Amino acid sequence: MLTDQSSWQARRAAHEARVDEWIVPHLQRRRRGEKHPVLDFLFTYYSFRPAQLRQWRPGGDPHKRPSTVTWVRDLLAATAARPPHLRCFGLHEWAMVYRQTQDELRHNAWPLRLGPTGTDAVVEASRIRCSHFDAFRFYTAPARSLNLLQPTRETQTANEQPGCLHANMDLYKWSYKLSPLTPSELIADCFELAVAIRTLDMQASPYDLAALGYPPVQIETADGRAEYTRRQRDLSDRAAPLRAALIAVCDTALTSTVTP
């Protein structure tokens, strides 16, 4: 039978080995000065550094502001209570490059599959309904008026829904924002989901990343839209228990703050 010390040491070793699958290649690329248009996002857009992701904590540490926990819990619970809205086809990524030249693109080392003109035509022929503010805020200026919604930071809790790739990818953000309440294994679960979501996000984007090992999901075709929707639904299903687990972390913390 494992002692308490040997138990947490085993958990720590398992966690470190698990996250090293992503951390080690990232650090190797960074040392070589290589940019990765898919995976860098998980270490640059999100503020949790590789060393923080690798650090194991058992969770349950109550030293967290109740106001932060309450805000995160309200957002997660409101999102979970809504039906998933699918079939957005990842058009937010297309709106982020709408009417841009190659030099202006965020990932300008990689070409657009359909070229600038073809990309703009897909945007203009589509019904774009992005509900996620942190995707919408990166739209190009001429693309913003094409979105059926105009999400803001203030309406985030009212808008987010569980079919949204970015709302589900952000479970990683909320997991580490709640640290040290969150067990590191749950943070790693959310990170692993974020990797899968980011992969679909960029496969369905207008960029041609096939040479990097990311064959496109051609959302401008019927087959591509069907594949996107199927994978989006699968990712939403994977996100649901993680969202529930984070809500439970919040509830435990909030209960402990009011218990005499």
Side-chain angles (χ1 to χ4, degrees), residues 234-257:
D234 289 345
L235 292 167
S236 178
D237 290 344
R238 285 179 59 182
L242 299 181
R243 184 174 285 109
L246 291 173
I247 292 172
V249 167
C250 293
D251 287 343
T252 299
L254 293 171
T255 299
S256 68
T257 63

Side-chain angles (χ1 to χ4, degrees), residues 194-245:
V195 173
I197 292 172
R198 177 64 177 173
T199 298
L200 175 59
D201 207 25
M202 292 305 287
Q203 283 184 284
S205 79
Y207 292 99
D208 186 353
L209 303 176
L212 197 58
Y214 295 89
V217 176
Q218 298 175 336
I219 57 92
E220 69 277 12
T221 70
D223 286 347
R225 291 192 293 273
E227 179 184 353
Y228 183 92
T229 302
R230 175 184 57 77
R231 290 173 61 180
Q232 182 183 25
R233 181 180 293 108
D234 289 345
L235 292 167
S236 178
D237 290 344
R238 285 179 59 182
L242 299 181
R243 184 174 285 109

Side-chain angles (χ1 to χ4, degrees), residues 47-69:
S47 60
F48 216 42
R49 302 276 70 85
Q52 292 173 298
L53 176 60
R54 196 173 192 272
Q55 183 179 20
W56 179 82
R57 294 178 183 270
D61 189 324
H63 297 98
K64 197 73 187 177
R65 292 179 61 184
S67 58
T68 299
V69 178

